[in-house]
């Protein structure tokens, strides 16, 4: 075990010890698992706020951990990834934990909750992908040039959250390291997403039994807010909170407000 940015960092081998998954943990209280988006894990003010009320476990998707990029080659498809998470949750000793996910991470959280309903006690999905409508296609961010990407993820590409995700520094080595990490994270997660982020979740999503909250950025330019209706149509009892003046990453643009929504939901939603 080591420490990283005030968190405890542990590495768990899964998939016959061929995949190493690093988990950052901080806080106390009920267990909360955070599934990060396609641009890598950053311990940010949103997670820090949640850790004041919950024990936050934030695993890095395979292939996104520094020093272990090639582990991703041992996974062929989304089901391999879901099974890795089941093995990881076994090692963490977690059942009935709160799942919180963003974008691709929300899709993974939803898939795990559908495959293993006992794993998820409550589910908070922030701008999830995983469904598809021909009349409202999800933008393929892999096809955007680097200069366009911040303006698609964030309502304000100059916001503090954007600067954290797209590291701005005069230190050339740090800048290049961050860019390589971002690119590799997009590649490692992209193999489970594209050409379109529809891997059959709509056939399985009825298995989700956990009380579910959808949180959506009102100005999401990647995944149109109409998808909130799709998720609520498929998950019994799910409800939606829309966050004004945010894009695809509302928890990074308004961390306090979104953390408050998540905290209140997890505290008050009836157990399944």
């Amino acid at each position: 075990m080591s420490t990283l940015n005030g968190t405890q960092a542990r590495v768990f081998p899964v998939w016959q010890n061929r995949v190493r998954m690093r988990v950052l943990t901080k806080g106390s209280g009920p267990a909360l698992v955070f599934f990060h988006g396609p641009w890598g894990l950053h311990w940010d003010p949103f997670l820090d706020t949640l850790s004041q009320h919950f024990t936050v476990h934030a695993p890095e998707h395979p292939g996104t951990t520094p020093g272990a990029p090639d582990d991703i080659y041992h996974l062929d498809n989304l089901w391999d990834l879901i099974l890795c998470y089941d093995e990881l949750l076994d090692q963490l000793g977690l059942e009935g934990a709160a799942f919180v996910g963003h974008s691709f991470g929300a899709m993974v959280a939803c898939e795990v909750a559908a495959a293993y309903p006992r794993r998820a006690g409550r589910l908070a999905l922030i701008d999830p992908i995983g469904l598809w409508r021909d009349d409202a296609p999800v933008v393929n961010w892999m096809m955007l040039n680097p200069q366009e990407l911040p303006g698609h993820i964030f309502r304000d590409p100059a916001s503090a959250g954007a600067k954290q995700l797209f590291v701005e520094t005069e230190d050339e080595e740090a800048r290049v390291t961050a860019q390589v990490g971002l690119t590799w994270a997009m590649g490692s997660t992209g193999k489970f997403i594209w050409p379109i982020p529809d891997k059959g979740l709509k056939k399985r999503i009825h298995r989700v039994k956990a009380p579910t909250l959808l949180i959506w950025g009102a100005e999401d330019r990647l995944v149109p807010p109409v998808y909130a209706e799709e998720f609520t149509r498929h998950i019994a009892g799910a409800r939606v909170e829309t966050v004004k003046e945010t894009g695809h990453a509302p928890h990074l643009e308004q961390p306090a407000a979104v953390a408050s929504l998540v905290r209140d939901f997890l505290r008050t939603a009836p157990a399944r």
Side-chain angles (χ1 to χ4, degrees):
M1 181 186 300
S2 60
T3 59
L4 180 67
N5 298 328
T7 68
Q8 294 180 339
R10 294 175 289 172
V11 177
F12 296 87
V14 298
W15 211 239
Q16 298 179 321
N17 297 327
R18 291 176 293 176
V19 174
R20 292 157 287 180
M21 298 184 70
R22 187 169 70 173
V23 180
L24 306 185
T25 299
K26 185 177 181 180
S28 61
L32 183 158
V33 182
F34 178 73
F35 298 77
H36 69 80
W39 301 285
L41 176 63
H42 302 267
W43 194 269
D44 50 48
F46 171 69
L47 293 179
D48 225 33
T49 300
L50 289 179
S51 73
Q52 296 172 16
H53 309 277
F54 304 94
T55 301
V56 177
H57 303 282
E60 291 169 319
H61 296 310
T64 68
T65 295
D70 292 344
D71 289 14
I72 191 62
Y73 295 125
H74 297 296
L75 303 181
D76 294 327
N77 53 50
L78 180 64
W79 280 110
D80 288 354
L81 179 66
I82 300 307
L83 290 170
C84 280
Y85 270 101
D86 184 51
E87 293 180 16
L88 176 67
L89 294 170
D90 259 347
Q91 294 193 51
L92 289 169
L94 296 179
E95 284 203 7
F99 284 5
V100 180
H102 169 234
S103 189
F104 169 70
M107 169 182 163
V108 174
C110 198
E111 289 279 15
V112 175
Y116 307 101
R118 74 183 190 283
R119 292 291 191 195
R122 294 172 177 81
L123 193 58
L125 307 176
I126 304 170
D127 296 70
I129 61 171
L131 301 178
W132 184 263
R133 287 176 53 147
D134 288 337
D135 63 339
V138 175
V139 174
N140 186 343
W141 52 79
M142 302 285 283
M143 303 300 289
L144 300 174
N145 68 50
Q147 291 71 38
E148 294 177 308
L149 193 53
H152 278 75
I153 298 175
F154 295 93
R155 174 184 180 272
D156 177 8
S159 66
K163 290 178 180 177
Q164 183 176 31
L165 190 62
F166 298 95
V167 177
E168 292 186 5
T169 174
E170 294 182 356
D171 184 325
E172 183 64 10
E173 183 177 349
R175 188 189 65 77
V176 171
T177 298
Q179 183 60 48
V180 169
L182 177 66
T183 303
W184 197 259
M186 289 174 62
S188 295
T189 56
K191 70 181 291 183
F192 303 115
I193 303 172
W194 306 111
I196 64 170
D198 179 357
K199 307 304 177 190
L201 175 60
K202 61 181 177 296
K203 296 185 297 184
R204 303 179 286 272
I205 197 170
H206 67 282
R207 290 171 49 87
V208 173
K209 304 302 180 188
T212 301
L213 173 67
L214 277 300
I215 296 174
W216 224 283
E219 298 179 42
D220 191 331
R221 300 181 180 111
L222 291 178
V223 187
V226 68
Y227 279 98
E229 301 171 15
E230 290 296 308
F231 275 89
T232 56
R233 193 160 63 86
H234 287 92
I235 302 176
R239 65 180 178 87
V240 181
E241 293 280 357
T242 301
V243 184
K244 296 180 180 178
E245 298 183 349
T246 64
H248 186 63
H251 64 304
L252 298 181
E253 291 195 270
Q254 294 188 23
V258 176
S260 179
L261 288 173
V262 172
R263 182 194 61 212
D264 292 348
F265 166 70
L266 296 182
R267 282 180 169 175
T268 60
R272 60 181 168 80

